[in-house]
Amino acid sequence: MELLTGILKNLPDAASLGLVWGIMAIGVYITFKVLDVADMTVDGTFALGGCLVAATVSAGWNPWLAGLLAIICGMAAGAVTGLLHTKLKIPAILAGILTMLSLYSVNLMIMGGKSNIGMSQFGENKVSTMLDHIAALFGAETKTVNITVGIVLAILIVAGLYWFFGTEKGCLIRATGINENMVKAQGGNTDNMKIAGIVIANGFVAFSGALVAQIQRYGDVGMGTGTIVIGLASIIIGEVIFGTRCSFKVRLASVFFGSIIYRVIISIVLLLGFNPNNLKLLTAILVIAALSVPVMRTAAGERKRIRENLRRYEGVE
């Protein structure tokens, strides 16, 4: 009973945090699922967004302006990875790793050589503080306002991406991920499409990092470690629930649902007394389990088909 009460109590926080992390998962979805590119840059750009916000907001910047700067810098980092991959012909995964490693030093420079900037240095000029003021203005709970804003932001992102990927350039990006040779045969520039996709993806990841830093009220150079695995976990959980044959807009929305469910699972295991230091291990296990579900479903269907064929054969005999 206490466990159920604890789960219900932490559910709003897990849901609001899941929506924010879902923005990062959307970025991972664009590279891994839409472009079919293994981009490791996201571990660096997520921390880049958080470190930029930590450094600029603590210096008195408007938090939304700081978030915009984080998006621009994240897109610039994605452009570096895209150029390394397309123009210098460095494998995508290695290009991402090189950019990610470089961003660690960049993040340290942004933070003035400090590994982290804590809550006390953020002052009152934070998105979380603004949401608290909105909640007080309307007489609502802060948790309710956080979830409402997160849902609105998620809807806007899904709608915007659905519209963009329906345009000519968006369709070319999707086609590049599906069949690069076909796009080349039609005269399309696949290099530019890859760069554009990676740039957009890392912009979302950096924005998510900026929001997470403000929610957690600190920025850290190591906050992006394991981001790629968390993003993949959210995507795969969403695919397991909604399937892979649904429409594109449903697949985009499923990423946010997957992120929320992932955060709820993390909340539950922490309530059960799981060591927080082992969360990366838990995330890896979740990804393995989620990836195994489609394989087990296929294997079960195949066994069922074989049994049915055997019954028919025995009946004929």
Side-chain angles (χ1 to χ4, degrees):
M1 189 63 183
E2 291 182 3
L3 176 62
L4 181 59
T5 304
I7 293 172
L8 292 175
K9 184 179 179 180
N10 289 302
L11 188 58
D13 290 331
S16 58
L17 194 58
L19 287 167
V20 173
W21 279 86
I23 301 173
M24 177 276 298
I26 280 288
V28 177
Y29 181 86
I30 291 172
T31 52
F32 272 79
K33 292 295 183 177
V34 176
L35 267 181
D36 194 24
V37 171
D39 180 25
M40 300 296 294
T41 315
V42 296
D43 278 22
T45 49
F46 186 84
L48 175 64
C51 291
L52 270 171
V53 164
T56 54
V57 172
S58 62
W61 282 47
N62 179 281
W64 294 109
L65 184 60
L68 178 61
L69 178 64
I71 293 172
I72 294 171
C73 291
M75 295 174 76
V80 171
T81 299
L83 290 170
L84 289 176
H85 173 51
T86 59
K87 304 305 179 185
L88 298 184
K89 305 304 177 184
I90 298 175
I93 190 168
L94 180 56
I97 291 172
L98 291 172
T99 307
M100 176 186 68
L101 288 174
S102 302
L103 285 174
Y104 185 85
S105 297
V106 172
N107 292 337
L108 277 176
M109 288 187 283
I110 290 171
M111 303 266 278
K114 300 177 182 178
S115 61
N116 61 73
I117 294 180
M119 180 181 65
S120 60
Q121 292 167 283
F122 269 78
E124 291 298 316
N125 195 22
K126 302 183 294 293
V127 169
S128 57
T129 304
M130 292 181 179
L131 294 177
D132 290 340
H133 292 330
I134 293 172
L137 180 64
F138 289 97
E141 292 187 5
T142 303
K143 293 179 180 180
T144 304
V145 174
N146 291 345
I147 293 176
T148 303
V149 172
I151 291 173
V152 171
L153 192 58
I155 291 172
L156 290 174
I157 289 172
V158 170
L161 285 176
Y162 182 68
W163 168 83
F164 172 75
F165 282 112
T167 62
E168 182 178 353
K169 177 162 281 191
C171 287
L172 278 173
I173 293 174
R174 293 177 66 185
T176 299
I178 295 170
N179 192 329
E180 185 177 345
N181 292 328
M182 181 195 71
V183 176
K184 288 180 178 178
Q186 297 296 323
N189 191 323
T190 56
D191 285 353
N192 288 347
M193 295 304 104
K194 287 181 179 180
I195 293 172
I198 295 172
V199 165
I200 294 169
N202 282 281
F204 279 114
V205 174
F207 182 49
S208 177
L211 292 177
V212 169
Q214 295 195 57
I215 291 172
Q216 296 180 345
R217 305 191 179 188
Y218 73 90
D220 192 288
V221 292
M223 64 186 290
T225 304
T227 297
I228 188 68
V229 181
I230 296 172
L232 287 173
S234 302
I235 293 168
I236 295 166
I237 291 171
E239 286 186 345
V240 169
I241 294 172
F242 290 90
T244 56
R245 296 184 179 181
C246 52
S247 65
F248 183 65
K249 59 184 174 183
V250 174
R251 291 202 298 273
L252 289 173
S254 72
V255 176
F256 282 99
F257 281 102
S259 180
I260 292 171
I261 293 170
Y262 170 79
R263 286 293 150 189
V264 170
I265 292 172
I266 294 297
S267 177
I268 292 172
V269 297
L270 288 176
L271 287 172
L272 291 173
F274 194 81
N275 189 340
N277 294 326
N278 298 328
L279 284 180
K280 302 297 183 186
L281 174 62
L282 174 64
T283 301
I285 293 172
L286 282 174
V287 172
I288 293 170
L291 285 171
S292 302
V293 169
V295 177
M296 290 187 290
R297 282 179 179 173
T298 303
E302 186 66 20
R303 287 194 298 269
K304 183 179 178 181
R305 186 183 64 81
I306 291 172
R307 286 196 298 268
E308 289 176 351
N309 289 338
L310 285 173
R311 290 194 193 98
R312 292 194 192 99
Y313 179 76
E314 290 171 356
V316 171
E317 290 294 320

